[in-house]
Amino acid sequence: MTYTVDDFDFHLPPELIAQHPAPERTGSRLLHVAGMQHADRRFAELPGLLRQGDLLVFNDTKVIKARFFGIKETGGQVEIMLERIVDAQHAICQIRASKAPKPGCLLRLADAFTVRMTGRAGKEDDLFALELLDHDDFWAVAEQYGALPLPPYIEHPAESADEARYQTVYAREPGAVAAPTAGLHFDEAMLETLRAQGIGTAFVTLHVGAGTYRPVRVEKIADHRMHSERYEVTPETAAAIAATRAAGGRVIAVGTTSLRTLESAGEADGTVVAGSGETDIFITPGYRFQVVDRLITNFHLPKSTLMMLVSAFAGYEAIRAAYAHAVGERYRFFSYGDAMLLERSDAV
């Protein structure tokens, strides 16, 4: 079947978009989806839905303070969203301004430091390259002067509470500009409970870029090109996956970023190859999954590439039914919202 973007649309009442997280990380709801069957649960019940020998794979990326406001040397206002920090002196970003700055233009950001826009970047020249001029460490100025980059559908400016809650408890590798939000539901107590039950944990790193929020602008999804993101799979994680498979356990991706990493590094026989690289994998219905058996994820934006991914994983009709059920039951949507546990459609 040839899918169009409209095939992944759904009606979402605006009041269901979560503006703040649940009071406790594990206090959200959990919709368990197995084919056309739905079970309404609490996220705190997750350990009871897993079994000894399963392996949870988390994304340990850490969100950096990637949003800046400033002025062009001509006086016009700009908003900068870092896509990635390339090295201590260089970064790639999105720029919002009344007129895009020209190459060579100086930008004064946060009234604290100056960058030069050196030219366009990205596959479609939709990003901008920046050079840091009067400091020696882009990471340090981001941490000191940047703002937490909350998603565009969260309407309040980043607050001190967001700095803790829009970050997983296991975040340790700085580089993302959007959180791997399925992991926001886990706290240290749950991780300890899982380990005590004999459920394994492993980590990959995928630095989520701001392109994760970009709409799909083509009609046929086969024409869409994904943004590229950096990932790493350690030898320890590759070995843990191999051992889990050999023992008959299930590999459970915590979030679409973990899934995309594992599938990017996976072989046809389910082996995962350790290493680092760039991935622009675009998973749509018809994709054959190599590595991941189950997926924990939040609810995603209409017409988004992540709606396409979960439809590929759990089944197109199953996801449409699950989302209709979630809307009817008043689940909370998107980054600060509730979660789903999805069974792979060919494993239901």
Side-chain angles (χ1 to χ4, degrees), residues 60 153 348:
D60 65 3
Y153 46 76
V348 171

Side-chain angles (χ1 to χ4, degrees), residues 250-261:
R250 298 172 295 185
V251 176
I252 303 164
V254 179
T256 56
T257 59
S258 295
L259 182 148
R260 292 179 67 242
T261 302

Side-chain angles (χ1 to χ4, degrees), residues 140-153:
V141 297
E143 181 61 29
Q144 185 170 359
Y145 302 112
L148 191 73
L150 289 179
Y153 46 76

Side-chain angles (χ1 to χ4, degrees), residues 6-71:
D6 287 339
D7 291 322
F8 300 90
D9 196 10
F10 63 93
H11 173 66
L12 179 66
E15 66 271 16
L16 297 186
I17 300 173
Q19 296 297 317
H20 298 275
E24 303 294 331
R25 284 184 183 269
T26 59
S28 60
R29 298 167 73 186
L30 177 69
L31 179 61
H32 185 191
V33 179
M36 301 302 286
Q37 296 181 322
H38 312 130
D40 298 303
R41 300 183 178 273
R42 307 301 303 181
F43 197 85
E45 299 177 58
L46 177 67
L49 301 174
L50 309 178
R51 62 187 184 221
Q52 184 175 356
D54 284 346
L55 180 70
L56 289 167
V57 183
F58 299 88
N59 181 6
D60 65 3
T61 189
K62 186 174 183 178
V63 181
I64 62 173
K65 294 179 180 178
R67 177 171 281 136
F68 302 88
F69 297 91
I71 57 171

